[in-house]
Amino acid sequence: MPPRALLPSYRRLFAAPGAAAFTLTGLLARLALSMNGVSLVVLLAERRGSYALAGSVAAAGLVTGAIGMPLLGRLVDRYGQARVTVPAALYNVLPPVALLLCVRSGAPDWTLYACWAACAATPNLGGMARARWAHLYRADPAARHRANSLEQALDELCFMTGPVLATALCTTVAPEAGLLTGATFGAAGALLFAAQRRTEPPTAARTAQDAPGSPLRVPGLRVLVLTFLATGVVFGATEITTVAYADALGHRAAAGPLLGLVAGGSCVAGLLFGLLTPRRAPGVRFLAGAAAMAAVLLLPLAAGLGGAGLGLLGVVLFAGGTATAPTMVTGMTLVQELLPGRQFNEGMAVAVSGIVVGISGGAALAGAVAEHAAPGTGYLLPAAAASLALIIALAGQRHLRVPGGSRAAGGSRALDGAEGSGAPGAPTRPDGPGGSDCLDGPGGPGGPAENAERAVSAPV
């Protein structure tokens, strides 16, 4: 498809009534999430004079967030998006405000950990948006593939702009400005998103056999979570290593633009990937994406070990980001297809939690390497983590086959909770044994009608 067809192809997604509204409001809340990590670090480094304290407080929030996100996802699956998002959004204003008060009043360090750890009820807006797209286009596999690609590109856009905005606010207005703005954006975006009721997917009808078990009982999801954990290490290690490398060259301020190039490569690749018509099963595409990611991340490693300048490093980092989006898009498609609709949000949250834990571990490892090894050595970590992700995907490839087989263009999960032949707005039906419609065809991957999540977004 020629480049000039890019915008018209994505514009057609927004023909569904309400699609633009939930996308823009959700984007505002996700932008806030991408601001919080940098805002916290700058605030504590300025007011308490310790990057170590800032990093450990941020890690505490990541850990509790990884635990709380799946629990919130289960509630969304059971009660619907609006009924869970509204109270969660209002509650999430309190922890950052409490942390700011503790910082200003000189409270002990443990209070900072307690406040930031309380940020465990963050709504998973990226997954909720994906659920809405899947519900709107449950009869159009190609549109669902394009929507998943768009969502990944929007995640990357947030990661490009959020840290820059946060840094600008913290350095030009006040160190507290980033967190205050993030809390405001997060609450406003989540509440406005929840108000878009006409695009909210219905909750799936439950039967007596629908005992609330963990989605990790599905072997394919376990494979995906482990792969995403390794991918999270790629993200965390790349960020810290790039900052350390730029600092070693005497251009620490260039770290932000360099990391923006990584996200930019992923954003462009995600948009282009959405224009393609998938010809293979999603499990095969996921393996191909993981292999490509392992290959391209050898480029930053070679540049770092070779002592490349910032210009060449920027080029290879952009190239290194291009394999991320297709892998993540296909991985999220697999989550949709492997799980029943009544567990979609919890399953998505579990997958995102794996990424969050990986980011935290990758950042910690890269920090240790940066302190004890030559600049650029840290790029061994993302290269090794990408290879590990490929090994995990290869070892578990038999679990990545969509139940029910596949058709010409790659498998499709039977839809849970929606009429398979309907257009957007078609009536829904209860989710029951054997009552499903397979919708996949040459257009690409299918997915179940979903009830309500990310992305992503954790501070990836």
Side-chain angles (χ1 to χ4, degrees), residues 317-344:
L317 286 176
F318 181 89
T322 57
T324 303
T327 307
M328 297 298 297
V329 169
T330 309
M332 294 304 178
T333 297
L334 278 167
V335 174
Q336 296 176 22
E337 297 194 0
L338 291 169
L339 293 176
R342 63 183 178 274
Q343 286 191 310
F344 172 76

Side-chain angles (χ1 to χ4, degrees), residues 101-138:
L101 293 175
C102 289
V103 171
R104 295 289 291 181
S105 64
D109 289 349
W110 68 263
T111 62
L112 308 182
Y113 289 98
C115 290
W116 204 244
C119 298
T122 303
N124 201 359
L125 278 250
M128 291 187 195
R130 288 175 173 89
R132 294 190 182 219
W133 287 118
H135 176 65
L136 288 173
Y137 290 106
R138 55 194 176 275

Side-chain angles (χ1 to χ4, degrees), residues 77-97:
D77 285 329
R78 186 171 183 84
Y79 299 109
Q81 294 185 0
R83 292 179 65 185
V84 176
T85 300
V86 171
L90 294 175
Y91 163 80
N92 273 303
V93 176
L94 301 178
V97 172

Side-chain angles (χ1 to χ4, degrees), residues 347-370:
M348 288 287 286
V350 168
V352 172
S353 293
I355 299 173
V356 171
V357 172
I359 291 170
S360 180
L365 289 172
V369 172

Side-chain angles (χ1 to χ4, degrees), residues 105 150 166 171 182 187 210 222 244 258 343:
S105 64
L150 174 65
T171 55
D210 291 336
R222 294 199 294 268
L258 287 173
Q343 286 191 310

